[in-house]
Amino acid sequence: MKKYTYAELRELYINFFQDKSHQKLSSFPLVPKDDESLLLINAGMAPLKKYFTGAAKPPSKRITTYQKCIRTGDIDSVGRTARHCTFFEMLGNFSFGDYFKKEAIDYAWEFLTKVIEIPLEKLYVSVYIEDNEAFDCWINNTGITKDRIFKMGKDENFWEIGVGPCGPCSEIFYSFTDEKIENKEQFIEFQESGKIFEIWNLVFTQFNKNENGEYETLKNKNIDTGMGLERLALITQNVDNVFDTDIFVKIIDKIRKLSNVKNISQEVNYSLKVIADHSRSITFLVCDGVTPSNEGRGYVLRRLIRRSVRHAKLIGIESKFINDISNVVIDEYKCAYPELEERKEYIRNIVEVEEDNFSKTLNKGMDILLNSYVKELETLNSNVLSGDKVFKLYDTYGFPLELTQEILKERNISVDIDGFNIEMKNQQKKARESRKSDNYLGNELGVLNSTKNYETEFVGYEKLKIKSKIMDMIFENSFVDEMKSGETGFIIFDKTPFYPEMGGQIGDTGYIKSSDGYGKVLTTKKNLQGQIYHVVEVVEGKICGKTRDIELVVDESRRRSICRNHTATHLLQKALKMVLGDHVKQSGSYLDDQKLRFDFTHFKALTKNELEEVEKIVNECIYNQVNVKTEIMDIKSAQEVGAIALFDEKYEDKVRVLFVGDFSIEFCGGTHVSNTGFIGNFVILNETSVSSGVRRIEATTGSNVFNLFKESRSVLNNISHQVKATSQIDILNKVENLIADIKNKNLEISNLKSKMANAKLKVLDHIIKNSKIKNGIKVITNVFDELDVNQLRDACTMVRDKLDCGIVMFASVVNDRANVVCMANKNAVDQGIDCGKIIREALKFAEGSGGGRKDMAQGSVTNISKIGDAFEKVYEII
């Protein structure tokens, strides 16, 4: 058997299936499109799901791919086992209603035994116990003997993930031993011990599992196969660990050089593998548009980065390092995935910001976890860290729950998961509410996605009013022939001027009218088949499906506002590149008739001058009245003229390119003004952070700017009236004078308070005389009324400075709440006094909290009746 690299295996596989009349598709991005059921693409068939269900027509009945995938369910096993990876490539060949079991089995066997030349004695097969058809195909067509085929149950050989396409499967296994497997029990035992492992899964999708758990026979039976490239490389390179394959060896060599480790212990080896694995996932996730955040895909990325940083520190890497490893990943994969090289600078910037941010907090969080929480548990003889402490590490110091668990597991300490989940309740609720719904006004989209295959012609670039006929009408999860007044449902026409929601642009609204009735179009979208559907509320009469000439009218005023905002978005992206640099890339957008929102890669907040310059450039382009045109071009020609594409989008062979004169050229299917002059004006409303390395600008145009001006003028007029300014120009002087007067009065008030405080502080000598001495340390406590925190600190300082070796803790009650300050002089600190720890422990007895340094700390309590208990705790601690 010849030794093959990753690149060679990829090419062999794709060429083999292209010779078998399969169309090659490029890998889809890791972020799923139009599939809310998946967080990330986790299987080769996942991006093709709509073809399996019949919701969309595939470009060919035979397809082959190498698909990048992410799975983090077994992240704790990465580096501990020989074959677990978070990122992997899945080689796949697919048939949509074309060939079935016989051909799928024949192709797999031919590729493995004839192309790769794996010896027959190294291969075993499993089939579903009820699938006699597949069993017969193996026996009759491949020459494999019965004693190498094992019939397994549903758990092992029936492929399904929740609802959707499913069916029996047949798996091909490779044996690492020359020992012959004699029976089913030994076959299972060898799998569990790692002596054999699955390399290729042939799934025969005969059924669709519905939400009731019922299996419906698919009209067109399909083939879905998946073979892990990493596993195939492991076999052909004659190694028993995926981390010993060619790409991983290069990545790990780079990590070792950065770490300067000399002795590769078991734990060092583990950390090297974790970093190597995670570096691939990090690079590909960022490349496909995922940015670090505290939820969803961004949390997966953040977790991988932070886990890598932690393991890097364990092997002596203290400086930023991920980009150095990422460069190796890019070099090794750029031939198969050229987008990695194209987005190299973007990847570098995102990773560097996140790594830098985490490094700043990691040491602090580790110190709190190990030197505070763990030591406290040791004192209490406990091995469970409370949920509130785990949540504080997560919320304040950016520690993922899994990282805390991993660190504590090494010390035989567990985590109070229930307590953590309670603390996370609000965030989880927010996340659930932000997830997109799968329905609209009670209508299930499953019915909408089961329409027949036909195309909806969009004519809305040129026309806003047409007559059309209804193709499908859906009400309350069923296809219907009519909808009556008061009912809301979906309607698909053979052609429409309504632009569907996509590309960040909101869908059109308007109305439809027939001889029988009138309905409002509430929004317009696309289903999985690419058909444009209209959410329609029938207002008068009824809408009948058999009526041929139905009038469709788009809300023209709203559409014009949307067009202004959309074209302005293109101008904004160009202006940002001019002001900030070419690293600026679009990370997302949304625009409606009121405003536009544009997310872009940048690594710090824009300055006032930068925002003004961006605004100026956009408005200059508007005032210059530049013509806007679109052209349908092939991708290559579009790229040659410099058209900018969204990097997470897959485009057809022909694309629509928007030209704003020579100023901006971009791929875009949206609706736009014909001349920039129609935008009117452009105003930036705000600029904020979205996540690490991603900023957001919100802006508005046209009549919305005028409305904004009217609101601002109204506010100014009200201020002018309040401050009795003679004109708007006089407002600033009046406000400045008012601010100066307020500052002077505040100073007077502060001086008066200080005098009052000094009067109260005369009692300090008396307080000092009544102090207690504990273990040679003078302890002074007292409660005051109506002192602010600054005055309380002054009091502590005055008393502390009069002591030779002592600690002072004063409280001041204001409105049923007390502020507390604790100070110790140097001699007391040298004796072991730690104000931060003392105030943290003592205030618990008065339902309070606090913290600080060894020589000074402060906090507050809510139960003022128990301040005395807190003071008594101070003596006990000392």
Side-chain angles (χ1 to χ4, degrees):
M1 181 169 55
K2 182 182 175 183
K3 180 179 179 179
Y4 292 106
T5 65
Y6 280 77
E8 290 168 338
L9 288 170
R10 250 188 245 107
E11 186 176 5
L12 281 171
Y13 185 87
I14 295 300
N15 289 344
F16 175 82
F17 280 101
Q18 284 183 316
D19 288 343
K20 305 293 184 185
S21 303
H22 288 64
Q23 179 178 332
K24 173 193 170 184
L25 294 185
S26 300
S27 176
F28 290 79
L30 287 167
V31 178
K33 291 288 184 183
D34 304 318
D35 188 351
E36 292 298 317
S37 67
L38 284 179
L39 191 67
L40 293 163
I41 295 298
N42 59 6
M45 66 79 64
L48 309 176
K49 190 190 298 183
K50 58 186 177 183
Y51 302 144
F52 284 103
T53 60
K57 184 179 179 181
S60 169
K61 287 189 174 183
R62 296 185 176 203
I63 283 175
T64 184
T65 64
Y66 52 86
Q67 174 63 45
K68 47 194 171 184
C69 303
I70 293 279
R71 290 182 191 169
T72 57
D74 297 317
I75 192 170
D76 293 327
S77 300
V78 171
R80 298 290 189 194
T81 68
R83 292 139 203 164
H84 278 102
C85 297
T86 56
F87 172 87
F88 60 96
E89 292 178 87
M90 189 67 80
L91 304 172
N93 58 284
F94 309 93
S95 167
F96 304 103
D98 189 15
Y99 63 82
F100 202 44
K101 295 180 184 179
K102 177 185 179 301
E103 292 84 353
I105 290 170
D106 289 350
Y107 293 156
W109 196 248
E110 181 183 351
F111 181 78
L112 292 178
T113 61
K114 298 293 194 296
V115 178
I116 304 299
E117 297 181 343
I118 298 177
L120 174 62
E121 61 270 17
K122 287 289 186 180
L123 298 175
Y124 291 88
V125 170
S126 68
V127 297
Y128 182 43
I129 194 168
E130 298 179 8
D131 193 357
N132 292 322
E133 181 185 359
F135 183 85
D136 291 341
C137 286
W138 280 111
I139 294 297
N140 297 329
N141 301 319
T142 66
I144 192 172
T145 55
K146 290 182 179 180
D147 60 338
R148 304 184 79 86
I149 305 174
F150 297 95
K151 292 185 175 182
M152 309 296 288
K154 189 172 182 180
D155 288 344
E156 293 84 8
N157 277 77
F158 194 94
W159 190 90
E160 61 182 358
I161 301 180
V163 299
C166 60
C169 64
S170 182
E171 297 175 318
I172 304 173
F173 290 80
Y174 179 84
S175 174
F176 289 92
T177 176
D178 294 330
E179 185 179 352
K180 178 75 167 58
I181 299 176
E182 300 296 341
N183 51 55
K184 182 176 177 179
E185 290 70 26
Q186 193 178 26
F187 178 66
I188 296 171
E189 178 191 332
F190 274 34
Q191 287 183 61
E192 293 173 348
S193 66
K195 290 183 179 180
I196 65 171
F197 79 146
E198 173 220 329
I199 56 173
W200 204 340
N201 190 6
L202 314 178
V203 180
F204 313 124
T205 49
Q206 301 171 233
F207 309 108
N208 186 69
K209 184 179 180 182
N210 62 29
E211 293 180 352
N212 297 322
E214 300 167 338
Y215 296 94
E216 304 162 342
T217 300
L218 289 171
K219 181 179 179 182
N220 294 315
K221 297 176 182 179
N222 306 313
I223 290 294
D224 158 29
T225 84
M227 176 163 55
L229 178 57
E230 286 77 4
R231 294 192 172 200
L232 191 58
L234 182 152
I235 292 169
T236 66
Q237 294 176 29
N238 196 29
V239 295
D240 59 6
N241 193 306
V242 71
F243 294 99
D244 292 328
T245 54
D246 63 296
I247 287 182
F248 271 115
V249 167
K250 293 176 183 178
I251 297 172
I252 290 174
D253 281 347
K254 181 65 176 180
I255 301 169
R256 288 183 62 179
K257 288 176 183 177
L258 291 173
S259 68
N260 290 317
V261 291
K262 300 296 187 290
N263 300 317
I264 307 298
S265 65
Q266 183 177 350
E267 285 309 304
V268 167
N269 193 37
Y270 170 54
S271 290
L272 289 171
K273 291 175 179 178
V274 168
I275 298 169
D277 167 82
H278 290 7
S279 65
R280 296 196 309 167
S281 297
I282 291 165
T283 304
F284 277 93
L285 282 169
V286 176
C287 181
D288 282 354
V290 179
T291 55
S293 69
N294 280 337
E295 58 186 36
R297 302 174 186 107
Y299 181 70
V300 172
L301 174 59
R302 173 161 284 169
R303 180 184 175 192
L304 292 170
I305 291 175
R306 295 185 168 186
R307 204 164 183 263
S308 298
V309 172
R310 191 243 167 179
H311 278 278
K313 288 186 180 296
L314 291 178
I315 60 173
I317 302 177
E318 294 296 335
S319 58
K320 287 182 285 189
F321 71 99
I322 295 179
N323 274 319
D324 292 328
I325 314 301
S326 182
N327 287 339
V328 179
V329 176
I330 292 171
D331 288 342
E332 292 300 317
Y333 284 96
K334 63 186 179 184
C335 289
Y337 303 97
E339 63 269 23
L340 288 169
E341 183 69 28
E342 295 168 8
R343 300 163 201 163
K344 187 173 183 177
E345 190 62 26
Y346 168 76
I347 295 169
R348 167 172 287 278
N349 288 328
I350 293 291
V351 169
E352 186 170 338
V353 169
E354 178 65 14
E355 189 177 0
D356 193 45
N357 288 343
F358 184 52
S359 293
K360 291 175 182 177
T361 61
L362 179 61
N363 291 335
K364 179 69 174 176
M366 288 286 286
D367 180 64
I368 289 173
L369 177 61
L370 300 179
N371 296 329
S372 178
Y373 294 166
V374 171
K375 286 186 177 180
E376 182 181 340
L377 290 174
E378 291 172 351
T379 302
L380 299 172
N381 197 26
S382 172
N383 64 347
V384 180
L385 186 63
S386 64
D388 62 322
K389 287 184 170 64
V390 178
F391 181 76
K392 183 177 181 181
L393 285 168
Y394 166 83
D395 192 47
T396 305
Y397 299 103
F399 259 59
L401 169 63
E402 297 82 4
L403 182 55
T404 301
Q405 288 176 305
E406 183 177 328
I407 294 169
L408 294 179
K409 186 178 181 181
E410 297 168 359
R411 292 163 173 79
N412 296 316
I413 299 173
S414 60
V415 166
D416 173 17
I417 295 295
D418 291 338
F420 176 82
N421 289 336
I422 290 172
E423 298 288 346
M424 280 288 288
K425 187 176 181 180
N426 290 335
Q427 282 91 331
Q428 291 172 334
K429 182 180 179 183
K430 180 181 177 182
R432 285 195 301 270
E433 290 173 349
S434 68
R435 284 184 68 88
K436 292 183 179 178
S437 175
D438 282 344
N439 56 66
Y440 189 94
L441 298 178
N443 291 284
E444 293 296 330
L445 295 186
V447 177
L448 184 62
N449 291 324
S450 62
T451 56
K452 295 178 181 178
N453 282 324
Y454 56 83
E455 292 185 4
T456 307
E457 182 185 0
F458 175 68
V459 297
Y461 292 129
E462 300 84 16
K463 301 174 182 178
L464 298 182
K465 180 179 179 181
I466 66 166
K467 288 189 176 181
S468 185
K469 68 176 182 179
I470 293 176
M471 300 296 291
D472 276 307
M473 186 182 297
I474 300 165
F475 175 67
E476 291 188 345
N477 312 327
S478 300
F479 291 101
V480 296
D481 292 327
E482 67 177 31
M483 290 196 309
K484 300 173 185 176
S485 178
E487 295 178 346
T488 300
F490 303 126
I491 301 180
I492 303 175
F493 298 90
D494 68 332
K495 58 183 176 179
T496 179
F498 286 81
Y499 185 83
E501 180 180 315
M502 60 180 178
Q505 178 175 330
I506 196 171
D508 280 333
T509 61
Y511 68 86
I512 64 172
K513 187 177 181 181
S514 71
S515 56
D516 299 312
Y518 170 89
K520 290 181 182 178
V521 177
L522 304 178
T523 189
T524 313
K525 300 186 179 185
K526 272 189 175 184
N527 63 9
L528 289 180
Q529 293 178 215
Q531 298 157 342
I532 299 173
Y533 68 88
H534 310 70
V535 181
V536 177
E537 177 191 359
V538 181
V539 178
E540 297 176 6
K542 61 183 179 180
I543 301 295
C544 298
K546 294 180 180 180
T547 305
R548 299 193 63 81
D549 291 332
I550 295 183
E551 190 174 50
L552 279 64
V553 182
V554 175
D555 183 333
E556 185 174 356
S557 175
R558 183 175 179 273
R559 165 72 84 81
R560 283 200 301 267
S561 293
I562 293 171
C563 290
R564 284 193 287 266
N565 284 334
H566 200 158
T567 306
T569 304
H570 288 243
L571 305 186
L572 172 59
Q573 178 168 210
K574 177 65 175 182
L576 286 167
K577 285 179 175 288
M578 293 169 66
V579 173
L580 303 178
D582 286 336
H583 67 275
V584 169
K585 296 285 189 298
Q586 180 175 342
S587 293
S589 68
Y590 175 80
L591 56 103
D592 55 25
D593 56 319
Q594 297 298 313
K595 62 182 179 181
L596 63 94
R597 185 183 74 209
F598 185 74
D599 297 345
F600 58 98
T601 54
H602 190 56
F603 313 101
K604 58 182 178 180
L606 274 69
T607 65
K608 180 174 177 289
N609 289 339
E610 286 172 337
L611 288 170
E612 289 177 351
E613 183 63 19
V614 168
E615 205 172 58
K616 177 185 175 184
I617 291 171
V618 174
N619 279 306
E620 282 179 350
C621 188
I622 293 171
Y623 302 150
N624 288 336
Q625 299 181 17
V626 179
N627 285 328
V628 179
K629 67 174 183 176
T630 58
E631 289 185 23
I632 305 299
M633 309 174 70
D634 61 80
I635 288 183
K636 185 176 180 182
S637 298
Q639 291 171 337
E640 287 174 352
V641 298
I644 298 173
L646 283 175
F647 61 64
D648 62 345
E649 195 71 57
K650 289 183 75 73
Y651 294 95
E652 303 292 337
D653 292 335
K654 295 290 185 180
V655 293
R656 194 166 183 264
V657 181
L658 182 82
F659 294 82
V660 183
D662 297 327
F663 184 78
S664 169
I665 308 173
E666 291 186 46
F667 289 42
C668 189
T671 61
H672 293 272
V673 298
S674 58
N675 185 286
T676 58
F678 290 121
I679 298 174
N681 289 284
F682 172 86
V683 171
I684 293 176
L685 302 175
N686 56 62
E687 188 267 351
T688 57
S689 170
V690 177
S691 59
S692 290
V694 180
R695 309 293 301 178
R696 170 174 293 171
I697 281 180
E698 289 186 318
T700 192
T701 64
S703 59
N704 295 312
V705 174
F706 179 65
N707 293 335
L708 193 66
F709 165 73
K710 286 198 300 183
E711 291 174 9
S712 299
R713 185 172 60 184
S714 176
V715 171
L716 279 173
N717 287 337
N718 286 333
I719 294 173
S720 178
H721 177 72
Q722 293 292 330
V723 301
K724 297 181 171 58
T726 57
S727 65
Q728 288 190 358
I729 297 175
D730 189 36
I731 291 175
L732 185 58
N733 291 332
K734 291 283 188 180
V735 171
E736 286 176 345
N737 290 335
L738 280 172
I739 291 171
D741 287 345
I742 291 169
K743 284 182 178 179
N744 290 332
K745 286 180 170 55
N746 284 339
L747 183 59
E748 290 178 16
I749 292 169
S750 181
N751 289 335
L752 285 171
K753 283 186 175 182
S754 293
K755 290 178 181 178
M756 294 169 64
N758 287 333
K760 290 183 178 181
L761 294 176
K762 288 180 180 179
V763 301
L764 291 180
D765 287 339
H766 175 72
I767 294 171
I768 293 173
K769 290 177 182 178
N770 291 321
S771 62
K772 296 180 181 180
I773 296 178
K774 294 289 181 180
N775 295 337
I777 298 170
K778 186 168 285 188
V779 184
I780 300 173
T781 60
N782 196 68
V783 180
F784 297 93
D785 292 324
E786 302 296 332
L787 291 186
D788 62 29
V789 174
N790 290 330
Q791 293 163 348
L792 204 57
R793 278 198 292 264
D794 290 342
C796 280
T797 302
M798 291 174 66
V799 173
R800 179 199 63 190
D801 292 346
K802 294 182 178 183
L803 303 177
D804 177 50
C805 179
I807 179 173
V808 183
M809 183 183 283
F810 286 164
S812 176
V813 178
V814 180
N815 297 329
D816 297 326
R817 186 180 180 88
N819 292 316
V820 183
V821 175
C822 181
M823 289 187 184
N825 56 24
K826 186 177 183 301
N827 289 336
V829 171
D830 290 343
Q831 293 290 325
I833 289 294
D834 186 334
C835 293
K837 289 185 178 179
I838 288 174
I839 203 167
R840 186 161 54 245
E841 291 300 317
L843 297 193
K844 289 180 181 178
F845 289 84
E847 299 174 18
S849 61
R853 305 188 306 269
K854 290 183 178 181
D855 63 338
M856 197 280 278
Q858 68 183 59
S860 63
V861 300
T862 55
N863 191 339
I864 59 177
S865 66
K866 292 193 175 183
I867 293 176
D869 295 341
F871 286 166
E872 287 299 322
K873 185 64 178 176
V874 174
Y875 304 133
E876 181 182 325
I877 293 171
I878 292 172

